[in-house]
Amino acid sequence: MIDKISRYYSQKTVLVTGGTGFIGSNLVRMLLNIGTRRIIVLDNLVTSRRWNVPYDKKIIFIKGSVVEEKTLKKVFSYKPDIVFHLAAFCANQKSVEDPKEDLRVNGFGTLHICQFCIENKVDRLIYASAGCSIYGVSAPNPVKEDFPVSLIQETPYQITKLLGELYCNYFMTNYSLKVVTARFFNAYGPGEIPGYGRNVVSNFIYKAICGQNLPVMGTGRETRDFVYTEDLACAIIRCGYLDEAVNQIFNLSTGRQIEINYVADVIIDTVSRIFNKKRVKKYYIPLRKWDRLYRREASIDKARTILKYTPVMNFEQGIENTVYWFKENWERIIRDVKSINKNRKGWE
């Protein structure tokens, strides 16, 4: 199947919104490696940087936002066949603090993308949704795609990621837009610059390297389903290729619960070994008011069956790979952490 996928993408122009983010950058690299004809990367560089994706003649980078009509006209002038819509206002806590911006980017931005896809006769749209969030706190584990999403959401981010699904469904039903909805769970891996509102893995690694103790929220026995970015990129690429994926929703994760205490312990051990540093410790802080999800695990049976998706990275090796990425890019990271978080003093 790999050869068939490569041949398919060798004839395609693809657009990746949010393409310099840590999920998007891994997707871009994989698309490049399999021989995709042309890759358009759209990103406003608010939480990421251009250096996170390769400089290659097949990659066209455009700085801008999914809410800017002028920018989208330029982007779609390259006539993408497939659109991977990963750009978003992330994440939960930031949406609580700025719900208007969250709605502007995640709501209006996704509507804009759908409209441009229809106007430019895009073959397929892959929409990145938030599986860890939109099912709600009462969903059983492992949660399946056919479990009704909750109408009681904890944050504006969860609301707008669900809103994006509804917009995609609207254009799918009324305009025959081919859509694949990919519900991501807790992604981690190389490529994420740490900072306020970023994911726990990258922030824990950064703090451990800096010799800071790790702030574990709640009891530390809370669980999430962590998925490595390369596994996720493989699944996303299959969403863009397989006809059976069209108009389907997929949970993309690993189907394994991992306690946050264990996440912190693995990071402490790995950073200490690779950076030859003294081990830091954990300490506990209260959960945020909106954070009521105690345990989460995804069912990936549907993705296994239709996408032939099999995550291969074990968590410990994934953390090691991510720590090595920090080591290789440390000077860039410490520089960009300061610029990205310049208005977030004390986030560390």
Side-chain angles (χ1 to χ4, degrees), residues 295-312:
R295 308 184 74 84
R296 177 57 80 231
E297 177 186 339
S299 167
I300 58 172
D301 291 344
K302 185 177 179 181
R304 287 185 191 275
T305 300
I306 296 177
L307 301 178
K308 309 304 179 188
Y309 164 64
T310 304
V312 297

Side-chain angles (χ1 to χ4, degrees), residues 315-330:
F315 181 73
E316 297 76 13
Q317 183 62 54
I319 292 295
E320 181 167 303
N321 294 351
T322 309
V323 172
Y324 272 117
W325 177 83
F326 269 80
K327 189 173 185 179
E328 292 166 2
N329 296 280
W330 184 241

Side-chain angles (χ1 to χ4, degrees), residues 266-279 316-317 319-321 323-324 327:
V266 172
I267 289 172
I268 290 169
D269 290 343
T270 308
V271 168
S272 176
R273 172 169 50 84
I274 291 175
F275 279 83
N276 193 26
K277 284 180 172 287
K278 181 180 177 181
R279 289 170 53 87
E316 297 76 13
Q317 183 62 54
I319 292 295
E320 181 167 303
N321 294 351
V323 172
Y324 272 117
K327 189 173 185 179

